[in-house]
Amino acid sequence: MTKTGPPGGRTGGGGPVAGVLGGRASSALALAWPAFRDVLARHATEVRAGLADPPQTNEVGRAAPLIGGLLAVAAATGLPARLLETGASAGLNLRADHYRLPFDGGGHGPDSPVVLPDAWRGAPPAAVPLRIAARLGCDLAPLDAAAPEARLPRKRTSRAPRC
């Protein structure tokens, strides 16, 4: 038997998100897991090498797809999200709901000094409230977002994560 869903067999519940996670969706979203698995198989050496260096996510541009994904889950479930970010660095993406995401015909998020211009293409994300119930970031070498050196890539050290 070929496993079509994500690891761990998380297939319970209903709705479009559960269908995709369980490999049962009939939409184009159902292609996401096999495509991801194919990329992992074709680039296993590069993926393994990347995993040896913990992530550094002090780049708020990555919040745009995070916001879109969180809105899709919120629209499908009506539930608030709990954010857990590994490699959180300065924790900037833990505040994604505080950023403005403009797109053709509108935008999402509060009137914020952090705007992600030209970060969203295609159909607008779901127009639902984004509620965050909890935020937790872990990082092997956390950064002070206000420090000038935090703007530059740095060599990571092997230390116990701080959460």
Side-chain angles (χ1 to χ4, degrees), residues 25-154:
S26 60
S27 71
L29 291 176
L31 301 175
W33 178 251
F36 179 69
R37 193 177 58 223
D38 183 54
V39 168
L40 291 178
R42 284 186 291 119
H43 300 282
T45 301
E46 296 93 338
V47 170
R48 284 188 184 101
L51 291 173
D53 189 23
Q56 182 83 26
T57 59
N58 55 334
E59 210 276 65
V60 297
R62 298 177 189 187
L66 174 63
I67 294 167
L70 290 170
L71 290 170
V73 171
T77 67
L79 299 172
R82 291 185 177 147
L83 299 178
L84 172 59
E85 185 178 11
T86 57
S89 184
L92 300 176
N93 287 321
L94 292 171
R95 307 288 293 170
D97 57 318
H98 292 264
Y99 305 156
R100 182 78 182 152
L101 179 62
F103 46 81
D104 288 341
H108 177 81
D111 183 20
S112 171
V114 181
V115 179
L116 307 172
D118 302 319
W120 191 265
R121 290 175 179 57
V128 297
L130 179 53
R131 298 176 296 139
I132 306 297
R135 305 167 202 268
L136 179 63
C138 297
D139 198 286
L140 293 173
L143 300 175
D144 175 358
E149 62 271 13
R151 297 179 186 167
L152 302 172
R154 65 185 230 187

